[in-house]
């Protein structure tokens, strides 16, 4: 796979975007769905600049004359189509475009960002408390809805999660009304009328645009899982209780139809969130030594 990416980045012309299974001309980009174009821009920045720049920065590798130009072409299409360009994901990409342009011009550049620092003891105590105290909650206080600001904080935590190739495929649908819960409820005996459910979905059109649907389709589900985990942690920190609820294919299909999701959006998982009413015996894990694998040969 690494060779495939290398070949893609080095052999592309300076005036088109090569994707895994084809090539997009500038005209293709002018006609592409805006959400997909924006994702393609982030992906091109990620694969053709962000992950390639380090050996160039430390002087081990010479940049090709077209270093960064594929992402530049996507940016120019976004500009030409008059899309607003001030959102953080686009501004992040623009910073890499500027670095790549300087590198092509032969300038010496550096990334002036702070390196991560180890947490101090107080900070570490909070991190450990968060990670080890979180647990699933399956019953909630009646008539005490989760405030919208908290739901937003929870989804913001999901937004911060890592995601494959920075493609940002995760989407959220918030279900608050007990009547609406019928769309997501299956055979799980959790009180629907006492919680809010966030259905975590993914946009598969984005993967089809960059060819990842054929290469790493499971990454869309993994993105949803990473977001879901961040969201459970935030819910716990807010004093709320959350639980993942398995979403079968049947439940997902029913929700998709009844909620009226477009063809490209697929439900992946459900998070039920509310104010905890019944404590559980916190489930504990088997020891780390029992999780360790050893070589079979
Ligand atoms: C992929 C996944 C699916 C889950 N599905 C359900 C479910 O359908 N119903 C449920 O009550 N809990 C569900 N859970 C929660 C797990 O049962 C729970 O995380 C596990 O027992 C460990 O307990 P803890 O979350 O309290 O640490 C699910 C968790 C994951 C990660």
């Amino acid at each position: 796979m690494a060779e495939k990416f290398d070949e893609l980045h080095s052999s592309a012309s300076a005036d088109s975007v090569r994707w895994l299974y084809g090539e997009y001309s500038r005209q293709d980009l002018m006609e592409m769905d805006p959400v997909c174009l924006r994702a393609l821009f982030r992906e091109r920045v990620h694969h053709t600049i962000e992950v390639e720049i380090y050996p160039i920065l430390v002087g081990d590798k010479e940049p090709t004359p077209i270093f960064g130009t594929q992402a530049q072409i996507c940016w120019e299409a976004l500009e030409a189509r008059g899309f607003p360009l001030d959102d953080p994901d686009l501004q992040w990409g623009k910073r890499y475009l500027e670095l790549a342009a300087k590198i092509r011009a032969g300038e010496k550049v550096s990334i002036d960002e702070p390196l991560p620092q180890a947490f101090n003891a107080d900070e570490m105590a909070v991190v450990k408390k968060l990670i080890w105290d979180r647990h699933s909650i399956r019953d909630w206080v009646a008539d005490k809805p989760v405030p919208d600001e908290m739901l937003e904080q929870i989804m913001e935590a999901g937004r911060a999660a890592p995601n494959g190739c920075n493609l940002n495929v995760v989407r959220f649908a918030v279900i608050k009304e007990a009547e609406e819960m019928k769309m997501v409820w299956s055979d799980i005996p959790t009180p629907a009328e006492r919680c809010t459910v966030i259905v975590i979905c993914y946009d598969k059109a984005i993967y089809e645009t960059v060819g990842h649907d054929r290469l790493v389709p499971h990454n869309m589900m993994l993105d949803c899982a990473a977001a879901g985990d961040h969201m459970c942690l935030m819910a716990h920190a807010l004093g709320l209780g959350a639980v993942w609820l398995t979403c079968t294919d049947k439940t997902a299909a029913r929700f998709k139809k009844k909620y009226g999701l477009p063809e490209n959006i697929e439900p992946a998982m459900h998070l039920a969130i509310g104010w905890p009413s019944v404590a559980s015996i916190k489930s504990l894990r088997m020891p780390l030594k029992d999780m360790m694998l050893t070589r079979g040969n």
Side-chain angles (χ1 to χ4, degrees), residues 32 43 83 134 170 190 205 212 214:
M32 186 177 280
E43 186 272 340
F83 297 137
R134 182 220 57 82
V170 173
T190 310
H212 285 21
R214 290 183 242 178

Side-chain angles (χ1 to χ4, degrees), residues 8-20:
L8 267 177
H9 302 163
S10 55
S11 65
S13 92
D15 207 37
S16 68
V17 173
R18 280 277 297 275
W19 64 298
L20 273 173

Side-chain angles (χ1 to χ4, degrees), residues 10-281:
S10 55
S11 65
S13 92
D15 207 37
S16 68
V17 173
R18 280 277 297 275
W19 64 298
L20 273 173
Y21 301 98
E23 192 159 1
Y24 292 125
S25 66
R26 285 183 185 270
Q27 190 53 39
D28 293 333
L29 301 182
M30 292 305 284
E31 290 158 16
M32 186 177 280
D33 171 84
V35 173
C36 292
L37 174 60
R38 182 175 183 168
L40 180 67
F41 168 66
R42 284 190 305 268
E43 186 272 340
R44 289 291 81 188
V45 171
H46 167 70
H47 275 131
T48 67
I49 307 177
E50 186 180 36
V51 301
E52 297 230 334
I53 203 167
Y54 302 99
I56 297 172
L57 288 180
V58 296
D60 288 349
K61 192 175 167 190
E62 277 296 307
T64 66
I66 59 163
F67 176 65
T69 53
Q70 291 199 28
Q72 181 69 37
I73 291 166
C74 294
W75 176 265
E76 284 163 13
L78 287 162
E79 259 181 343
R81 292 177 65 175
F83 297 137
L85 300 172
D86 42 11
D87 278 341
D89 59 318
L90 299 173
Q91 287 300 311
W92 159 82
K94 186 163 173 261
R95 288 185 65 191
Y96 271 113
L97 290 184
E98 286 162 3
L99 275 181
K102 285 184 180 168
I103 288 171
R104 284 198 303 278
E107 278 182 50
K108 187 113 191 92
V109 299
S110 62
I111 296 179
D112 300 318
E113 291 288 328
L115 286 171
Q117 297 293 321
F119 282 25
N120 65 33
D122 288 347
E123 290 165 339
M124 191 56 94
V126 174
V127 172
K128 284 191 174 158
K129 180 173 150 79
L130 180 64
I131 292 175
W132 286 103
D133 281 5
R134 182 220 57 82
H135 57 280
S136 297
I137 293 287
R138 297 182 177 84
D139 203 344
W140 302 279
V141 176
D143 301 322
K144 192 177 174 195
V146 181
D148 285 346
E149 311 79 67
M150 288 191 172
L151 290 173
E152 192 175 326
Q153 272 177 282
I154 291 167
M155 288 184 279
E156 284 289 356
R159 192 165 72 89
N163 70 100
C165 309
N166 202 12
L167 280 163
N168 296 196
V169 298
V170 173
R171 303 289 180 266
F172 303 117
V174 181
I175 309 294
K176 296 178 181 172
E177 303 304 325
E179 190 53 30
E180 299 242 286
M181 292 290 178
K182 288 181 189 151
M183 291 189 289
V184 289
W185 234 243
S186 50
D187 53 353
I188 298 151
T190 310
E193 68 286 358
R194 299 207 279 274
C195 65
T196 295
V197 167
I198 301 180
V199 183
I200 306 182
C201 306
Y202 57 86
D203 183 343
K204 63 183 182 187
I206 289 175
Y207 265 44
E208 287 159 8
T209 301
V210 300
H212 285 21
D213 57 323
R214 290 183 242 178
L215 193 69
V216 280
H218 50 277
N219 277 4
M220 293 185 276
M221 198 61 95
L222 296 176
D223 285 358
C224 291
D229 191 48
H230 270 49
M231 292 161 80
C232 286
L233 292 172
M234 180 56 85
H236 179 72
L238 289 166
L240 293 159
V243 63
W244 290 52
L245 294 179
T246 296
C247 173
T248 62
D249 288 349
K250 201 171 146 202
T251 313
R254 183 177 61 220
F255 178 73
K256 182 168 176 169
K257 185 158 175 257
K258 298 216 162 164
Y259 195 77
L261 292 177
E263 168 45 32
N264 53 308
I265 303 292
E266 292 294 340
M269 56 174 280
H270 302 152
L271 270 191
I273 306 162
W275 295 100
S277 70
V278 183
S280 60
I281 299 173

